[in-house]
Amino acid sequence: MSGWVERNTGNLLNFKKICVLGLGYIGLPTASTFAANGLEVLGVDVNPKIIDTLRNGGIHIQEPGLRTVVESAIRSGNLTVAAIPEMADAFLIAVPTPFLEAEFGEFSGHKYKRADMRAVTAAAEAILPCLRSGNLVVLESTSPPRTTLDLVAPILERSGMKAGKDFYLCYSPERVLPGQIMRELIENTRVIGGVNPASAQAGRDLYALFVKGEIIETDATTAEMVKLMENTFRDINIATANEFSRLAEKFGVDVWKAIELANRHPRVNILDPGPGVGGHCISVDPWFLVEAAPEITPLIYQARMVNDGQPEFVLQKIRQALGVQLAGKRIAALGLAYKPDVDDMRESPAVRVVQKLKNEGMEVFCWEPFKPDQLINGIKVSPSLESVLKEAEALLLLVNHTAFRALDPGQVSKMTPARIVIDTVNGWDPLQWNKAGFKVFRLGDHQQSSI
Ligand code: SAJ
């Protein structure tokens, strides 16, 4: 059952109060946006620190535009927060689904990562005592195929009610890009998969309160697959780019130039190589498909291996620039975030590169403009850019933050004794840095200081 086109006519469901379980990068923007659109929203989180911060008028996530919406939602009284859910018309589950750190699956000698579904299970169990006939429950957390049918429905059906008959149950993936969440939440196309058509319609009625993009109804498992396919497609595309960067170095080609030329073909769109793939989405979600069917997902598995292998490739690049023996050498690492212009360090390849350099015995001075003077995964971030530059004998660009791209190489050369630059993200114009007296090594380009 997929791609329903028919829609029963009838009155829209009338939602007055909803509970949003999980107040993270997706739950908080979603809860506050519903509240801004007139619903009474109870935001629920198991982390007491998050509840305290929000109750005290603070916010624990940096996302452009979020603070304003949360503050006004709380001030209006439409958004309140608590540790456990209450009775409501609808319940949204937006809790994390990371992978298990210590438990792996194995197929044909290959280890694969497995989804940690404990937070989804706990959220469904927390809803259970509040669930009433006619309610809507929506799972938003990225989940392996069939989670809505095989994990969430059975928990909720312990109430004695039947999903799709006595209450509505949907899967609706979030698809927003960190850094642009507030806009994309409203404007993106929204896919809503119901356990039956009536559930999908109920989901549409709810999200139509603020979604301005198209709302498409389908079945729950299709909606789960859609989400996983989107991120897996991107992961494989980036893996291709990363493998091209290795080939380019072998064959004396500048990969950035080659990709630019290949992308002039009307049906080619190769993404950018870099130090690897991070974040809690693209580096995690493909594993949910591998876990679900390892025997038919060799390509998805290999793409993960290639992207996870990229920090090692960066290490080789650094050896090329600084010599095989790295112990005792002093390097300034610029950027620890998982991608440009976000404060999120989860699964960051930059962090992995820094850890590798430390394991080599290098002295690594880190600068991350979003986390000055803080400890990130055991890595100390310096208080300022100046302080790392003055210590270093080489500069390593790991994240293409706007602030780094804007650096003037002439100015930088006066602030550092370093005369070697290793650019893993094509953030700096080699010609300009060359002119300022730096020898430039770029990932995916075999030449030094190439122009
Ligand atoms: N990256 C590259 N090369 C590229 C693009 C990205 O190496 O050309 C790296 C980034 O540096 C980062 C990682 O990939 O380490 C992921 O970054 P991203 O910007 O591609 O994606 P996310 O994880 O921030 O957000 C993705 C988005 N999915 C897609 O674009 C298909 C977003 O729409 C999803 O909502 C989000 O995952 C999610 O929550 O699943």
Side-chain angles (χ1 to χ4, degrees):
M1 205 178 11
S2 66
W4 291 303
V5 286
E6 282 183 45
R7 175 172 160 77
N8 298 336
T9 47
N11 293 333
L12 292 185
L13 288 179
N14 188 14
F15 296 98
K16 289 202 174 67
K17 176 170 176 177
I18 66 168
C19 279
V20 177
L21 289 89
L23 295 175
Y25 280 88
I26 299 304
L28 187 59
T30 306
S32 54
T33 303
F34 271 118
N37 283 273
L39 282 192
E40 189 188 327
V41 181
L42 179 69
V44 176
D45 205 291
V46 292
N47 183 342
K49 271 199 205 145
I50 293 179
I51 298 297
D52 280 352
T53 307
L54 289 165
R55 280 198 180 136
N56 294 325
I59 177 172
H60 58 291
I61 292 168
Q62 279 204 31
E63 174 64 30
L66 177 63
R67 178 178 288 276
T68 323
V69 182
V70 170
E71 278 174 1
S72 91
I74 288 187
R75 223 179 304 120
S76 71
N78 277 2
L79 177 62
T80 51
V81 291
I84 50 168
E86 291 171 1
M87 278 200 276
D89 303 313
F91 300 87
L92 265 58
I93 302 175
V95 296
T97 47
F99 40 65
L100 294 164
E101 286 302 332
E103 283 176 44
F104 297 90
E106 195 165 333
F107 176 75
S108 209
H110 295 303
K111 275 191 173 177
Y112 57 82
K113 297 185 182 176
R114 295 177 47 218
D116 180 351
M117 301 306 290
R118 285 175 296 183
V120 171
T121 303
E125 284 172 346
I127 292 170
L128 191 55
C130 309
L131 192 67
R132 297 291 174 272
S133 161
N135 281 171
L136 164 68
V137 179
V138 185
L139 176 63
E140 282 207 15
S141 311
T142 305
S143 302
R146 293 192 62 89
T147 296
T148 310
L149 290 176
D150 294 348
L151 178 72
V152 178
I155 295 174
L156 298 176
E157 287 178 347
R158 284 188 221 149
S159 62
M161 293 188 285
K162 184 104 186 73
K165 185 167 161 283
D166 304 307
F167 64 94
Y168 304 108
L169 179 59
C170 294
Y171 180 80
S172 181
E174 56 79 12
R175 304 156 93 196
V176 289
L177 197 68
Q180 312 206 15
I181 292 179
M182 300 314 283
R183 183 179 59 77
E184 290 207 358
L185 201 57
I186 293 167
E187 290 176 7
N188 284 2
T189 297
R190 187 102 207 176
V191 173
I192 301 188
V195 297
N196 63 340
S199 290
Q201 285 168 27
R204 168 193 285 269
D205 292 348
L206 177 64
Y207 287 96
L209 290 171
F210 73 77
V211 171
K212 295 206 168 66
E214 208 180 333
I215 299 180
I216 299 169
E217 292 167 38
T218 184
D219 66 273
T221 309
T222 300
E224 291 163 349
M225 278 288 288
V226 165
K227 168 72 188 187
L228 297 172
M229 283 161 49
E230 288 166 356
N231 282 351
T232 300
F233 170 77
R234 197 163 169 82
D235 196 42
I236 291 173
N237 191 328
I238 298 169
T240 310
N242 282 334
E243 216 159 76
F244 288 159
S245 74
R246 300 175 193 186
L247 287 165
E249 291 203 6
K250 188 173 170 69
F251 296 117
V253 166
D254 173 353
V255 79
W256 305 94
K257 199 164 273 172
I259 289 177
E260 190 188 317
L261 298 182
N263 284 350
R264 300 284 282 272
H265 185 289
R267 285 175 297 283
V268 173
N269 182 19
I270 303 163
L271 294 177
D272 293 332
V277 169
H280 58 302
C281 310
I282 298 197
S283 67
V284 178
D285 301 356
W287 287 116
F288 293 3
L289 292 175
V290 175
E291 173 184 9
E295 69 287 0
I296 48 174
T297 47
L299 175 66
I300 301 173
Y301 175 86
Q302 282 306 332
R304 283 279 71 246
M305 289 294 119
V306 169
N307 289 336
D308 279 353
Q310 206 63 0
E312 183 60 34
F313 182 58
V314 172
L315 180 65
Q316 300 315 324
K317 191 81 201 172
I318 294 168
R319 285 195 206 284
Q320 193 188 324
L322 302 182
V324 180
Q325 280 307 326
L326 295 176
K329 296 203 165 140
R330 300 190 317 279
I331 196 163
L334 304 187
L336 285 181
Y338 85 91
K339 70 172 189 176
D341 300 330
V342 298
D343 75 327
D344 193 339
M345 316 287 143
R346 283 176 293 177
E347 313 298 330
S348 172
V351 168
R352 258 178 275 147
V353 170
V354 169
Q355 280 160 346
K356 276 184 181 292
L357 299 182
K358 288 181 155 223
N359 290 345
E360 292 295 321
M362 288 189 89
E363 268 194 79
V364 191
F365 304 93
C366 295
W367 171 238
E368 170 48 66
F370 287 92
K371 301 271 182 197
D373 217 2
Q374 291 181 38
L375 203 62
I376 308 291
N377 292 8
I379 298 169
K380 169 89 183 69
V381 181
S382 295
S384 67
L385 175 63
E386 290 71 24
S387 59
V388 301
L389 289 182
K390 72 171 194 271
E391 302 284 356
E393 44 188 310
L395 310 182
L396 172 65
L397 182 62
L398 288 171
V399 184
N400 214 351
H401 284 317
T402 307
F404 293 157
R405 276 202 308 279
L407 287 174
D408 172 358
Q411 288 294 327
V412 174
S413 76
K414 291 181 202 143
M415 297 158 74
T416 179
R419 286 296 168 260
I420 292 178
V421 157
I422 302 134
D423 178 353
T424 67
V425 289
N426 195 28
W428 288 338
D429 178 353
L431 181 58
Q432 296 297 325
W433 284 77
N434 221 206
K435 269 197 204 148
F438 292 95
K439 203 168 176 184
V440 181
F441 294 78
R442 280 194 310 160
L443 180 130
D445 184 0
H446 84 299
Q447 296 181 47
Q448 311 161 6
S449 318
S450 84
I451 49 173

